[in-house]
Amino acid sequence: IVNTGDDFEHLGLQISPDLDTVCYMLAGIHNPETGWGRADETFQSFDQLELLGGPTWFRLGDRDLATHLERTRRLQAGDTLSQVTADFCQAWGIAPTVLPMSNHSIPTIVLTDQGELAFQEYFVHQQCRPAVTGFRFEGIQQASPAPGVIEAIIEADCVVICPSNPWVSIDPILHLPGILQSLEGKSVVGVSPIIGGQALKGPAAKMYTELGISPSAIAVADHYGDLLAGFVLDDVDKNLTKPLTMKCLITDTIMKEESDRLRLGEEVLSFAREL
Amino acid sequence: IVNTGDDFEHLGLQISPDLDTVCYMLAGIHNPETGWGRADETFQSFDQLELLGGPTWFRLGDRDLATHLERTRRLQAGDTLSQVTADFCQAWGIAPTVLPMSNHSIPTIVLTDQGELAFQEYFVHQQCRPAVTGFRFEGIQQASPAPGVIEAIIEADCVVICPSNPWVSIDPILHLPGILQSLEGKSVVGVSPIIGGQALKGPAAKMYTELGISPSAIAVADHYGDLLAGFVLDDVDKNLTKPLTMKCLITDTIMKEESDRLRLGEEVLSFAREL
């Protein structure tokens, strides 16, 4: 279940950055260096766009462009993001079910000392420089989870909150009407994206600091609070400065290679099933 | 002054095929083999689009895509097609002034034995197979020429109607409110796109036949009628089967190389100035 709060329209295209990053990764066609976009990518189109004076701050490779072109076409033709995502996953040979959190537009607005910023304006264009004072998920109260989302949670033996940004990648999902209720009584395990007080990538630690919270695995555990039956921290955080109320798995949570991802995935699932 | 009746929205992009073909040619970045698109083009994006099951009947290369992306972005931002075209021409180093015929949408509808077809549906997707019964330029009576179009005609010493398709590339311009009036008393010269009863490219000859008119240079001259002060035919059509009322220049009108274009251009301009 993937955040769509980062989705935005750019150059007339409907772009779903988190969905694409997750799918490219699962399909093995992701770019491991950048953390976004595709492997073996070319930028002929954007080189020409630059010549024409167009906005190139949100880089789209030639292959990646096809994803946005076809998504845009199908959404304009009346298909839902769920349908498009399912078909793309099939075309890319992705076995696991990947669901957008919602078919409604729920743009994440970042409240900053520079005023309210659309997420990609904050994240990519301004490179997370403005200081964050809060977040708003526009229209979330009128939105609903995409088909299959609540069903998948109800069916699941356990639910893993992956080590993504709690504020802007996980909270949009959790705040959707019906999600917290469906998680009640579930074996929910969170994996900390903060390791040794820092985020491996992205602005999570910076956000915690700007919001007046010391960035730490404990802060992440507190963020999710009673929702969690278990929490997974990195070895470097094993000396907790405060006791946690949920059960903990302390392990190596840094995923550099495919093998790291498989090992951590298996460890987290075993831990969750034992809870 | 370039036809925009072929313009259409596709994959969320605003595409202006005739404008782009003219500009790419004038910038020397056109593909001489295909007659459309850019030289040294790659198709990474469309290869991926095909994998996703998207429509690939209207081929857009990676470099060409940038033109449509930036045009779409600027039109959505409120700029006019005139402004965008002027800026693109500057970026591409094009010295002559290239004007879209109108900033209004005036889609050419082809009336056929298969019903009414949007132009690119007829031209590219169905490869001109349906038999033509007529044409409609939707909204043309409510449209107006783009800024600079009437002014350019009034200022001109002579006006050349280039050897393009009279029905679908020239008529949309001529039928715009105010164009015919601005051409009154001008030295207007037409160049026949029909040579030896055939069109060098495109469906012009097929259209004449389907409309019950034998395709010939004379049919083109009749098409424009009193508008023309002079007419340019190819050497192969020098034995006219019927006298023409306007002055004629008979010369080699087939343009294979840059040098052919320069020579014919100079001959036509000399002929027009002498009228």
Side-chain angles (χ1 to χ4, degrees):
Chain A
I1 301 169
V2 180
N3 172 44
T4 57
D6 300 9
D7 292 14
F8 73 129
E9 189 181 322
H10 186 55
L11 294 164
L13 302 171
Q14 300 293 333
I15 303 181
S16 298
D18 284 4
L19 267 180
D20 292 343
T21 297
V22 166
C23 288
Y24 290 164
M25 167 72 85
L26 289 172
I29 55 176
H30 62 293
N31 183 331
E33 272 99 55
T34 55
W36 55 267
R38 297 192 49 163
D40 304 318
E41 187 60 289
T42 55
F43 289 87
Q44 297 285 354
S45 192
F46 259 51
D47 287 349
Q48 295 302 312
L49 187 66
E50 190 162 19
L51 183 88
L52 292 176
T56 52
W57 57 269
F58 197 90
R59 297 272 288 166
L60 297 170
D62 298 323
R63 288 162 176 250
D64 186 36
L65 268 172
T67 306
H68 315 307
L69 286 167
E70 178 62 357
R71 180 191 290 120
T72 303
R73 186 192 72 80
R74 290 195 50 184
L75 292 177
Q76 286 181 354
D79 286 337
T80 64
L81 187 58
S82 294
Q83 294 167 323
V84 175
T85 304
D87 289 344
F88 283 11
C89 282
Q90 190 172 21
W92 287 324
I94 296 171
T97 303
V98 179
L99 300 173
M101 68 180 199
S102 178
N103 287 328
H104 294 104
S105 171
I106 312 168
T108 296
I109 308 295
V110 186
L111 316 180
T112 78
D113 58 358
Q114 314 285 310
E116 298 201 351
L117 298 174
F119 184 76
Q120 299 299 342
E121 176 64 25
Y122 161 81
F123 186 64
V124 178
H125 203 183
Q126 303 213 23
Q127 297 180 281
C128 309
R129 279 186 299 257
V132 164
T133 58
F135 307 94
R136 197 155 55 75
F137 310 125
E138 206 160 274
I140 199 163
Q141 287 311 320
Q142 292 74 49
S144 55
V149 166
I150 296 290
E151 294 84 341
I153 294 173
I154 288 170
E155 250 179 49
D157 297 323
C158 57
V159 175
V160 178
I161 299 179
C162 291
S164 199
N165 187 310
W167 300 104
V168 292
S169 301
I170 305 297
D171 277 357
I173 305 175
L174 296 179
H175 284 65
L176 267 173
I179 296 288
L180 287 180
Q181 292 90 316
S182 71
L183 288 169
E184 270 169 28
K186 281 278 158 188
S187 177
V188 179
V189 170
V191 183
S192 178
I194 304 280
I195 299 175
Q198 299 193 309
L200 284 188
K201 64 171 190 167
K206 181 173 182 287
M207 286 175 174
Y208 271 105
T209 303
E210 289 163 359
L211 293 166
I213 304 166
S214 178
S216 67
I218 289 170
V220 175
D222 286 346
H223 188 103
Y224 297 129
D226 290 342
L227 184 62
L228 299 183
F231 190 60
V232 182
L233 313 81
D234 193 81
D235 289 326
V236 305
D237 292 314
K238 66 180 171 217
N239 298 314
L240 289 171
T241 55
K242 136 181 169 185
L244 290 176
T245 53
M246 66 289 284
K247 292 197 173 159
C248 290
L249 168 67
I250 297 173
T251 186
D252 178 7
T253 63
I254 298 179
M255 296 174 279
K256 282 179 192 153
E257 310 285 338
E258 177 82 1
S259 57
D260 300 325
R261 288 194 284 276
L262 287 171
R263 178 197 45 75
L264 181 62
E266 281 167 16
E267 285 184 38
V268 170
L269 287 179
S270 301
F271 171 62
R273 287 203 189 95
E274 281 166 21
L275 291 173
Chain B
I1 302 169
V2 180
N3 172 44
T4 57
D6 299 10
D7 292 16
F8 73 129
E9 189 180 321
H10 186 55
L11 294 164
L13 302 170
Q14 300 293 333
I15 303 181
S16 298
D18 284 4
L19 268 179
D20 292 343
T21 297
V22 167
C23 288
Y24 290 164
M25 167 72 85
L26 289 172
I29 55 176
H30 63 293
N31 183 330
E33 272 99 55
T34 55
W36 55 266
R38 297 192 49 164
D40 304 319
E41 186 60 288
T42 56
F43 289 88
Q44 298 285 353
S45 192
F46 258 51
D47 287 348
Q48 295 303 311
L49 187 67
E50 190 162 19
L51 183 88
L52 292 176
T56 52
W57 57 269
F58 197 91
R59 298 271 291 166
L60 298 170
D62 298 324
R63 288 162 176 249
D64 186 36
L65 268 172
T67 306
H68 315 307
L69 287 166
E70 178 62 357
R71 179 191 291 120
T72 304
R73 185 191 74 78
R74 290 195 50 184
L75 292 177
Q76 285 181 355
D79 286 336
T80 64
L81 187 59
S82 294
Q83 294 167 323
V84 175
T85 304
D87 290 343
F88 284 10
C89 283
Q90 190 171 21
W92 287 323
I94 295 171
T97 302
V98 178
L99 301 173
M101 71 180 196
S102 178
N103 286 329
H104 295 103
S105 171
I106 311 167
T108 296
I109 308 296
V110 185
L111 316 181
T112 77
D113 58 357
Q114 314 284 310
E116 299 201 350
L117 298 174
F119 183 77
Q120 298 300 340
E121 177 64 24
Y122 161 81
F123 186 64
V124 178
H125 202 184
Q126 303 213 25
Q127 297 180 279
C128 308
R129 279 186 299 258
V132 163
T133 59
F135 308 94
R136 198 156 53 76
F137 310 125
E138 206 161 273
I140 199 163
Q141 288 311 321
Q142 292 75 50
S144 54
V149 166
I150 296 289
E151 294 85 339
I153 294 173
I154 288 170
E155 250 179 50
D157 297 322
C158 56
V159 175
V160 178
I161 299 179
C162 291
S164 198
N165 188 309
W167 300 104
V168 293
S169 301
I170 304 297
D171 276 356
I173 305 174
L174 295 179
H175 283 65
L176 268 172
I179 295 288
L180 286 180
Q181 293 89 316
S182 72
L183 288 169
E184 271 169 27
K186 281 279 158 188
S187 176
V188 179
V189 170
V191 184
S192 178
I194 305 279
I195 299 175
Q198 298 193 307
L200 284 189
K201 62 171 191 168
K206 182 173 182 285
M207 286 174 175
Y208 271 104
T209 302
E210 289 164 358
L211 292 166
I213 305 165
S214 178
S216 67
I218 290 172
V220 175
D222 286 347
H223 188 105
Y224 297 129
D226 290 343
L227 184 63
L228 299 183
F231 190 60
V232 182
L233 312 81
D234 194 80
D235 289 325
V236 305
D237 292 312
K238 66 181 169 213
N239 298 314
L240 290 171
T241 55
K242 133 183 171 186
L244 290 175
T245 53
M246 67 287 284
K247 293 197 173 157
C248 291
L249 168 67
I250 297 173
T251 184
D252 177 7
T253 63
I254 299 180
M255 296 174 279
K256 283 178 191 155
E257 309 285 338
E258 177 84 359
S259 56
D260 299 325
R261 288 194 283 276
L262 288 171
R263 180 198 41 78
L264 181 61
E266 280 167 17
E267 284 185 37
V268 170
L269 286 179
S270 301
F271 171 62
R273 287 203 190 95
E274 279 166 21
L275 291 173

